[in-house]
Amino acid sequence: MIGQKNIVVGFSAPSETTCFVGREKFIEAIRQLLLQKKPVAIAGPAGVGKTALAIRLAHLLYEDFPYGILWYRLDTKGFVGVLEDVAKKFGYNINRLKTVKDKVAVVKKALSSGNILVILDNVTNPNDLAPLFEEEINFPLLITSRSLNVPKNFNFFLLPVFTRDEAISFAVKILSLDFVSKNLAKINLACQTLGYLPLAVSVFLRQVFLSPWRFNFFIKELLKNPPQLTQLVYDEKNLYASLSLSFNELTDQQKAFFSSLGVFEGADFSKEAAAEINSLSLEKTSELLEELKGLSLVEGSAGGRFRLHPLVRVFARQKMENDYFYHRLFKYYLNFLEKGGVANLQFYPKIDQEQENLIGLFKQLLSRGNYQAALKIWSYIGVFLWDTGYWRLMSELGPQVYKAAEKINDFYNQAAIAIKELAWLFFWQGDLNRAEKYAQVGLDLARKLKNEFLINFAEQRLAKVYQAKGKLKLSLKFLEKNLQYFEKSNQWERAGDTMTYLGETLWLLKQHQEAENYFFRALSLVKKIKDVRQECIIYNRLGGLYLVKKDYPRAKKYFILSIKLENKIGRRVGGIAWNNIGLGLIKEELGDFEEAKKIYKIAREDIAYLGIGKIDRTNFFVNAVKSRLLKSQFFRFPRH
C-alpha cells in the first residue's frame, strides 16, 4: 500500500569537500526550513558553489533525516526519471502512468510517510517542477539551479560569489596562512579578476598549491586576458579563464586523461571505467584522479565514484580531439554487460548504477551513425529497461533502435525489436492497434529470414493481442502451434508463458477444465525453471478461475500464495492489487461486506497510481472477472 512507513532509502549525496568555507547564515536558514518540510531553492551562477552548499547541508542534516537523503542530478536524470526512481525506492513501478501529475501524486504520498529529504541538483528549468506544487508539498525538498525563474512556492536563496574575506579564508585553507600573508595583495587581485567565483578561485588556488614557485607566472597569465567582469559572472567567462589556465599547466598525460572524462554522460563514473578508457592501471588512474581532484577539476561522488561539474564536463569535451574515447567506452561497457549477461537479475543493480552513462553512450553511438555498436549495447540494456520497468525510456529509445536496425538493413534486429519490445510495450500501454502492427511487422520479417523462433515469438505476441481484442479462436490457434515449437526447441520460459496464455484464452472461452489443466502444466514448468514472476501470475490466474467457479477456499489459497510470492521477490503493486480485488470479491460474495470494503480500500490505494479508471482489455485478470466487478456493491476504480 502506498504510503508505507519506515522505508529507509539510504544516503546518496556525494562526498563532502574538505575546503568548505563561509555560508553560515545560508546553512542555518536553509536547515531550519528543511526541518519544517519547506521547499528550498538555491540559485546562482555556474561555479558559485550551489552544489557544494547542498552537499554540505546533506551531510550536516544526516542525523535529522534517519530514513534517508536522496540526491539526484536533474540535468542527467530528468524530472520524470527522478519520480520513477523515488517510487522504486518504495517498491512501486509508476511507468504505466500516462501523466506526470499522476506520477507526482504517488511519489508525494510515498514521501509523506517518512522523514526523507530529497535534493535535486542542477535543475535547468525549475518550472518543470510545477506539478509538485499543484497541491501543497508535504516533504522536505532542496533544489539548486542557475535559473532565477524559480516557482514562488520555494523559499528562495540567491547565492552570491565569495566576499573578499571568504575568498582569502578559502585561500588560507588551500595554501596556508604564511603563503597568503606574504602574497595577500596578489591573491586578492587574482580572486578579484576571477570575480570571486568560488569554483574559478578554487581551480586557480589549487594550481598555485601544486606549483607555488610559479605563482607570479600564473598571475601574469591570468591578467593577460582577464574575463569581462562587466557582465559579472553569469556568462561563465571567469570559470573558463581559470579552467584554461589550469588545463594548460597539466602534463600531456593529465590533459588526455582529463579530456577523456568528458565522455561520461551520467551524474558520476567509476574509477574502473576511467582506467579502461585510458588503458591505465587502477593504481595510476587513482593517482590521476586524486591529482585532478586536487585541482578542483574532478570531484568525489557517493560510493567511491567521481564526477565533473557540468561546465567542467563541457570544457573537457571541447578538449577531446576525436571519437577515440567513445570507442574505448563502448568496449568497456560492452565487456561489462557481457560479463553480467542478459536478463541477470542479480546484475541489474550494477547496470542501474551505470544506467545514465550507458544511455548516454547509446545515444552518442546513434548520433555518430555507429548503429551496429548501438545495437550491441541495446541487446543488453533493452532487456534491462523492460524487466525493471523503465517504460518511459523504452518508449523513447525503442523506435530509435528500430530505425537504426532499419538503416543498416539488420533485419534480424528489426524483427526482434518489433516483436520483443515495441509490440509488447504498446500492448501494455493499451495501444492494441500499434501492438498488432509491430507484431505483424516482426512476423513478416521473421518469415523472410525463415527464423522459426522469431516467427513463433511474433505469433505468440499476436495471440495476446487477439486475446485482448476478443478474437479468441485465432489466439488459440496461434498458441497451440507456438507451444509445440517452444517445447520441441527447449524454449522453456516461452513454453511456460504460452501455457499460461492458453489457460487464459480457454478460460475466456468458458472451457474451465482445460484452462485449469494448462495453468497447472505451466505452474509445474515455471517452478522447475525458477521463473518466479510467471509463478506469481499463474497463482493469480488459478485464484481467479476458482473464483469464477465459486470454489472460494481454493481461490483464496492461490490469491494469498501470489501475494506472498510478490512480496518475497519485490512487490509489483499491480500484481498485488489484482489479488486483493480477488480476495475482496470472495469476501463480498460470502457476505462479509466490512472485510470486503477494507480489502478493496487497499487495492484502490495501490492501483490509483496505475492510471486505470476502467476495465482494461490488456489486463487479463480484471477483464476475466469483470462481470463480478460490475456487480460489486463496494468496489469502484479510482477516479483520474
Side-chain angles (χ1 to χ4, degrees):
M1 185 167 65
I2 292 174
Q4 301 173 85
K5 294 188 180 298
N6 302 329
I7 296 289
V8 178
V9 298
F11 182 86
S12 56
S15 55
E16 193 171 10
T17 178
T18 56
C19 293
F20 189 89
V21 298
R23 314 301 201 193
E24 288 85 0
K25 291 182 179 179
F26 288 95
I27 288 172
E28 185 54 29
I30 294 171
R31 179 177 179 275
Q32 291 301 324
L33 287 165
L34 292 174
L35 290 175
Q36 297 170 39
K37 296 189 176 182
K38 303 291 186 182
V40 175
I42 303 172
V48 80
K50 303 180 296 296
T51 299
L53 176 57
I55 293 172
R56 178 68 172 157
L57 283 160
H59 285 267
L60 288 173
L61 290 165
Y62 178 79
E63 293 186 359
D64 293 304
F65 293 98
Y67 295 114
I69 296 178
L70 295 174
W71 179 286
Y72 294 99
R73 274 270 303 273
L74 207 70
D75 58 323
T76 59
K77 193 75 172 176
F79 180 50
V80 174
V82 169
L83 293 174
E84 292 170 351
D85 195 77
V86 173
K88 283 178 68 178
K89 302 286 186 187
F90 289 84
Y92 301 106
N93 185 335
I94 60 174
N95 289 276
R96 184 164 181 165
L97 280 177
K98 294 180 180 178
T99 69
V100 175
K101 181 180 179 180
D102 288 336
K103 293 176 189 280
V104 165
V106 175
V107 170
K108 287 177 72 173
K109 190 163 187 179
L111 287 171
S112 69
S113 62
N115 200 12
I116 296 169
L117 170 61
V118 178
I119 302 176
L120 305 180
D121 185 33
N122 205 27
V123 178
T124 306
N125 181 7
N127 285 308
D128 288 344
L129 307 181
L132 284 173
F133 298 98
E134 290 185 10
E135 295 180 9
E136 185 179 0
I137 197 165
N138 50 5
F139 63 91
L141 171 66
L142 173 63
I143 73 166
T144 71
S145 178
R146 292 167 61 188
S147 173
L148 303 181
N149 187 22
V150 175
K152 62 182 180 180
N153 313 77
F154 280 94
N155 294 274
F156 180 78
F157 292 84
L158 179 60
L159 195 62
V161 297
F162 277 156
T163 63
R164 179 188 179 280
D165 289 345
E166 284 175 331
I168 297 304
S169 296
F170 192 52
V172 169
K173 274 203 167 188
I174 294 175
L175 298 174
S176 82
L177 178 60
D178 182 62
F179 187 93
V180 173
S181 299
K182 290 177 181 177
N183 298 280
L184 183 60
K186 289 181 179 179
I187 288 174
N188 186 51
L189 177 61
C191 293
Q192 185 179 10
T193 302
L194 292 169
Y196 293 107
L197 185 66
L199 182 55
V201 169
S202 177
V203 171
F204 175 78
L205 292 176
R206 290 180 185 278
Q207 188 63 60
V208 173
F209 173 78
L210 288 179
S211 306
W213 60 90
R214 303 193 71 201
F215 175 59
N216 288 324
F217 169 76
F218 295 146
I219 293 288
K220 183 180 177 181
E221 287 296 303
L222 187 62
L223 294 176
K224 268 185 184 179
N225 299 294
Q228 298 297 313
L229 298 184
T230 55
Q231 296 179 339
L232 200 60
V233 293
Y234 279 84
D235 58 5
E236 302 145 20
K237 291 184 180 178
N238 302 322
L239 178 56
Y240 190 85
S242 188
L243 288 172
S244 295
L245 176 62
S246 185
F247 182 80
N248 292 336
E249 289 300 309
L250 298 178
T251 65
D252 288 343
Q253 186 180 43
Q254 288 173 327
K255 286 179 179 177
F257 183 81
F258 169 69
S259 300
S260 75
L261 303 181
V263 300
F264 294 107
E265 299 273 350
D268 55 21
F269 57 89
S270 69
K271 175 175 62 178
E272 290 76 12
E276 184 63 29
I277 65 174
N278 285 280
S279 301
L280 297 172
S281 67
L282 287 176
E283 183 180 3
K284 183 61 180 177
T285 300
S286 297
E287 181 184 319
L288 287 166
L289 286 167
E290 289 305 315
E291 289 170 358
L292 293 175
K293 273 184 70 178
L295 292 166
S296 292
L297 296 176
V298 170
E299 301 170 30
S301 189
R305 292 166 70 86
F306 299 86
R307 63 194 181 96
L308 298 184
H309 184 283
L311 289 182
V312 175
R313 181 169 62 184
V314 171
F315 182 86
R317 282 185 186 162
Q318 291 173 350
K319 298 300 179 182
M320 281 196 295
E321 296 179 355
N322 51 47
D323 290 348
Y324 172 75
F325 290 117
Y326 284 107
H327 174 69
R328 294 288 304 175
L329 189 64
F330 162 69
K331 290 186 68 176
Y332 168 76
Y333 275 127
L334 184 61
N335 183 55
F336 166 81
L337 293 167
E338 287 175 343
K339 284 183 178 179
V342 178
N344 180 354
L345 298 181
Q346 286 70 40
F347 191 64
Y348 279 178
K350 292 185 178 180
I351 297 181
D352 207 25
Q353 188 175 44
E354 298 293 340
Q355 182 203 141
E356 292 170 11
N357 288 320
L358 283 163
I359 297 298
L361 172 64
F362 172 76
K363 289 181 176 179
Q364 288 289 345
L365 291 169
L366 285 182
S367 68
R368 286 166 165 74
N370 197 342
Y371 301 125
Q372 288 183 334
L375 289 169
K376 286 181 181 178
I377 294 292
W378 183 259
S379 66
Y380 293 91
I381 63 172
V383 178
F384 162 77
L385 292 174
W386 180 264
D387 286 349
T388 51
Y390 285 105
W391 287 13
R392 177 181 54 83
L393 283 170
M394 287 291 297
S395 297
E396 174 193 344
L397 301 176
Q400 295 180 37
V401 181
Y402 182 81
K403 288 180 181 177
E406 191 175 34
K407 285 182 179 180
I408 58 175
N409 295 321
D410 185 342
F411 300 123
Y412 178 85
N413 270 310
Q414 258 187 280
I417 293 160
I419 298 164
K420 293 180 184 180
E421 287 146 8
L422 295 178
W424 215 223
L425 174 68
F426 290 123
F427 178 83
W428 287 113
Q429 288 181 340
D431 192 340
L432 295 179
N433 289 332
R434 291 181 78 185
E436 183 175 359
K437 170 192 167 185
Y438 276 107
Q440 188 62 57
V441 166
L443 179 58
D444 292 342
L445 286 166
R447 284 171 173 165
K448 286 181 181 178
L449 293 167
K450 298 181 180 179
N451 186 302
E452 287 299 318
F453 171 75
L454 288 179
I455 289 170
N456 280 274
F457 200 176
E459 289 174 346
Q460 185 201 58
R461 291 290 198 242
L462 279 169
K464 276 296 286 181
V465 174
Y466 293 147
Q467 182 194 89
K469 285 188 169 186
K471 301 177 181 179
L472 301 179
K473 290 186 178 179
L474 185 55
S475 175
L476 193 65
K477 179 181 177 182
F478 270 139
L479 291 171
E480 288 173 341
K481 169 181 176 290
N482 303 150
L483 180 59
Q484 289 183 10
Y485 169 78
F486 290 135
E487 286 184 316
K488 184 178 179 181
S489 57
N490 298 325
Q491 298 282 342
W492 299 118
E493 184 178 343
R494 298 293 165 214
D497 293 346
T498 308
M499 289 176 193
T500 306
Y501 301 156
L502 277 163
E504 293 173 347
T505 306
L506 288 163
W507 176 359
L508 294 176
L509 286 166
K510 295 184 169 44
Q511 298 178 35
H512 293 164
Q513 187 57 55
E514 291 86 345
E516 184 179 349
N517 292 340
Y518 271 114
F519 285 144
F520 277 112
R521 280 183 62 187
L523 184 61
S524 176
L525 176 57
V526 300
K527 280 184 174 181
K528 185 176 181 180
I529 63 174
K530 297 180 180 179
D531 186 350
V532 186
R533 286 291 183 198
Q534 195 66 11
E535 187 179 346
C536 289
I537 292 169
I538 296 166
Y539 285 144
N540 169 266
R541 301 302 187 254
L542 283 167
L545 184 60
Y546 289 130
L547 171 64
V548 169
K549 295 171 73 172
K550 297 187 178 183
D551 186 343
Y552 298 130
R554 295 178 80 184
K556 179 181 176 181
K557 169 188 171 182
Y558 285 109
F559 285 138
I560 290 174
L561 279 173
S562 184
I563 290 174
K564 285 181 177 179
L565 196 53
E566 290 275 13
N567 280 319
K568 181 179 178 181
I569 63 176
R571 73 197 308 272
R572 295 178 309 155
V573 180
I576 291 178
W578 315 138
N579 287 306
N580 275 324
I581 288 174
L583 290 171
L585 287 170
I586 292 172
K587 292 294 182 183
E588 187 173 356
E589 293 191 17
L590 291 174
D592 191 347
F593 300 136
E594 291 306 312
E595 191 64 25
K597 288 178 186 178
K598 290 178 184 178
I599 296 173
Y600 286 149
K601 182 181 178 183
I602 295 170
R604 279 170 54 84
E605 288 181 0
D606 273 351
I607 67 172
Y609 89 95
L610 289 171
I612 297 175
K614 59 183 180 179
I615 292 174
D616 183 347
R617 286 190 295 170
T618 63
N619 186 310
F620 174 81
F621 175 77
V622 174
N623 196 52
V625 299
K626 68 180 179 182
S627 63
R628 280 167 171 73
L629 281 175
L630 292 171
K631 292 176 183 177
S632 172
Q633 299 179 58
F634 309 111
F635 180 80
R636 296 292 181 272
F637 281 102
R639 291 184 179 181
H640 292 276

